[in-house]
Amino acid sequence: MSFQQLNLIEPLQRAVAQQGYTTPTPIQSKSIPDLLAGKDLIGIAQTGTGKTAAFVLPILQRMTERYPRTLRTLVLAPTRELAAQIGDSFAAYGQFLKFKHTVIFGGVGQGPQVNALSRGVDIVIATPGRLLDLMNQGRVSLKDIEFLVLDEADRMLDMGFIHDIKKIISRLPQKRQSLFFSATMPAQVSQLAHQLLRNPVRVEVAPQATTVERIKQCVFFVDSAAKEKLLLDLLLQKHLTRVLIFTRTKHRANKVATYLSSHHIRTDAIHGNKSQGARTQALQNFKLGRTKVLVATDIAARGIDIDDISHVINFELPNTPEIYVHRIGRTARAGAEGTAYSFCAADERDFLRDIERLIRLKIEVMPHRYHSEHAQYAAGMAARPPPIHYRGRSRSFRPRQQGRPHFRR
Ligand code: AMP
């Protein structure tokens, strides 16, 4: 199928061609016809599938059917990064149309956002908290909204935005077209979708439990204390050209970035404690290849849309298997190849088991030079667990061993 067959108007065809897109991605070919017909939609898709264009293109086209100058489209997104990226998509796909959009998010002064709103916009892309603030101050009115998008709804609920979202939705007109995107569909998310949508079309692109098949996935069983050294070894290999590293905490992200920088690897970290300016700068450096490595926490990395990430490295495994799928989906975007390495310490074995269960795949185990006896046992390479030494404690203090040992860190 081609973009012409999707019946997009000429200015959108031109914009799409200018992006270099030749064929619609599956979510685009499945959603765009129904969205152009005015239907509500529930889309189950991860980032990297082309879902942003799947909603931005038909909304822009429907907006051209009438031209009232008022705020008609609202997109809610969980993070400032994702909101900014969706804003960029409206700018790129709408470059030959005359709509104005603005992006609204917290963590920065509201002045410029209020000014943009008062100059008049057709489209607002917002994180829920700041939008609600501005609504309560009477700076923005949603009474003319015709198109509503909730993007990455599962993440918004994880981040505790449910009450804000409900308050925002209660102020929208009943008559509107609503679109709901989520990578996963736990009960709370599907409940919200049902409250929001009317006879929605359901489009699912990569089923919840499949990992992008093109990604080569490997696991290194390694003690926590040896993870940094192993990371450094890997990063010194030439084919790791643009590497996104995930940690579970902000503190760890900083530590890893400092360690790599001290070994002359150009690295930045992004996480919630960094200012918006620092986050934007770090993303820009990474995009432009000024840094080779970006260390991120899951929330800060949400929606990062950078092509050509050669490797994703899970410095720590996530405790929710769906997050693993999100993380590794940052590589192998738009048809490219990619590799995901995961470091698994003994106390992360259960996380790995859950991940393998979800993706229905046994991840290949990689040998390396920091392979300890404990790690070998965790990897199933040693039949017997090595003894644990309780230094300085008398025998009577020794805890009773249950199942596999958790080794000391
Ligand atoms: P998204 O899932 O919206 O985050 O998009 C993922 C990436 O795919 C972005 O870098 C888009 O620029 C790119 N993309 C979107 N649609 C297409 C398409 N039809 N052909 C090629 N690349 C696309």
Side-chain angles (χ1 to χ4, degrees), residues 52-97:
T52 316
F55 68 79
V56 172
L57 290 167
I59 287 180
L60 284 172
Q61 178 147 336
R62 294 216 61 214
M63 287 179 74
T64 61
E65 290 164 12
R66 312 186 302 121
Y67 267 102
R69 259 270 111 97
T70 174
L71 176 54
R72 298 162 65 197
T73 294
L74 173 66
V75 181
L76 293 176
T79 63
R80 355 180 194 192
E81 281 80 11
L82 183 60
Q85 274 168 22
I86 298 170
D88 292 345
S89 296
F90 271 101
Y93 306 139
Q95 62 182 302
F96 302 114
L97 298 171

Side-chain angles (χ1 to χ4, degrees), residues 3 21 23-25 28 46-52 305 307 333-334:
F3 279 104
Y21 305 164
T23 32
T25 65
Q28 291 162 5
Q46 297 164 226
T47 46
T49 52
K51 71 180 161 69
T52 316
D305 176 19
D307 294 336
R333 295 182 76 122

